[in-house]
Amino acid sequence: MRVLGIETSCDETGVALFDTERGLVADALYSQIAMHADYGGVVPELASRDHTRKLLPLIEDVLNDAGMTRAELDGIAYTAGPGLVGALMVGASTAHGLARALNIPVLGVHHMEGHLLAPMLEDEPPAFPFVALLVSGGHTQLVEVRGLGDYELLGESVDDAAGEAFDKAAKMLGLEYPGGPNVARLAEQGDPTRFRFPRPMTDRPGLDFSFSGLKTHMLTAVRSLREAGQLDDQARADVARAFEEAVVDTLVIKCRRALDATGLKRLVVAGGVSANTRLRERLAVETGKRGAKAFYPRGRFCTDNGAMIAYVGAQRLVAGERDDSAMRAVPRWPLDQLAPAGSASA
């Protein structure tokens, strides 16, 4: 089955073609980062307009790269949520319009299920069951994954997501959007012994996260240095290093607890923050101690992309699922509300 995947949940327009026999055939991505950087974050209306401009040309690019025409498609998948409602509507309306014109099935896909299963696109995909850490600008969650659509939420952030905390830390340090990669680069020059920030919610049982207190600690440290006239380049790097170490330690501790609690030996880490080098290094050590293994999507599939949507859509379309005539755009959509593949077929 040849499925076109469309991703327009936030600030990246992604399109891909997945063939259930050949795997990923072609993909393309357009990032709006440069446009939103002037505002220090995503502007929803601008994001929607840019998706409208870029989506159809990207679809044609992907089809051309695959050497296919629209008539050869067997199905279309699109991100139905969670995300910015206007941006979601661009993808949903395009997908439904194309599917109706071609008389093929169409299906709305959960954005975070796409991230969760992105490592399935790699040469050595993880087998079910596994623990997944979904860590991005909008989500920080630990999930037990027993099969496609069979998910149990183990823990999540009660306030800021880890990626959101990175973005706010970057603003405090005068770094450009997006913050995560810039904080990580600055942290490479930092002294890990100069400052120590708290590891929130690690001094109590449980698998939930909280990063708002860490953000406040960061703000206090930056203000104190500035007021003392000591916020030079080295101090900024030292603070960035302390912040990154605190976030990474917190994520690693919670992953360790999740693996111990479930007894599982496979850990999937996905979402934008999964590209963080220090996080990967630390998780390699922790999983190694337990005879476990960590799995990641390739670099360009850590952030939002069409390939993950095409993959998940293909699996669920094969299982008999499809949308009815109504388009779906669900800004808030808990992952554990999903049904196992095929059980919600129309």
Side-chain angles (χ1 to χ4, degrees), residues 1-3 18-21 74-76 105 313-315 317-319:
M1 187 175 198
R2 292 161 294 196
V3 177
F18 183 86
D19 188 319
T20 52
E21 294 183 0
D74 299 310
I76 300 176
Q315 309 313 308
L317 284 165
V318 166

Side-chain angles (χ1 to χ4, degrees), residues 208-227:
D208 285 336
F209 303 86
S210 171
F211 294 104
S212 64
L214 179 59
K215 177 189 65 179
T216 301
H217 192 94
M218 171 81 167
L219 180 61
T220 300
V222 170
R223 281 179 175 172
S224 296
L225 288 166
R226 183 178 291 115
E227 290 169 0

Side-chain angles (χ1 to χ4, degrees), residues 183-190 192 240-241 244-246 248-249 252 273 275-284 296:
V183 170
R185 279 190 287 270
L186 182 59
E188 290 297 325
Q189 311 302 319
R241 180 64 178 267
E244 183 185 47
E245 292 282 357
V248 168
D249 276 357
V252 170
V273 182
N276 183 279
T277 300
R278 203 172 307 283
L279 176 62
R280 293 193 179 204
E281 291 172 349
R282 289 290 312 283
L283 286 175
Y296 304 88

Side-chain angles (χ1 to χ4, degrees), residues 153-175:
L153 182 64
L154 302 174
E156 62 183 339
S157 179
V158 298
D159 41 57
D160 292 352
E164 183 182 3
F166 266 113
D167 286 341
K168 290 178 179 178
K171 286 184 179 180
M172 297 176 202
L173 293 171
L175 302 176

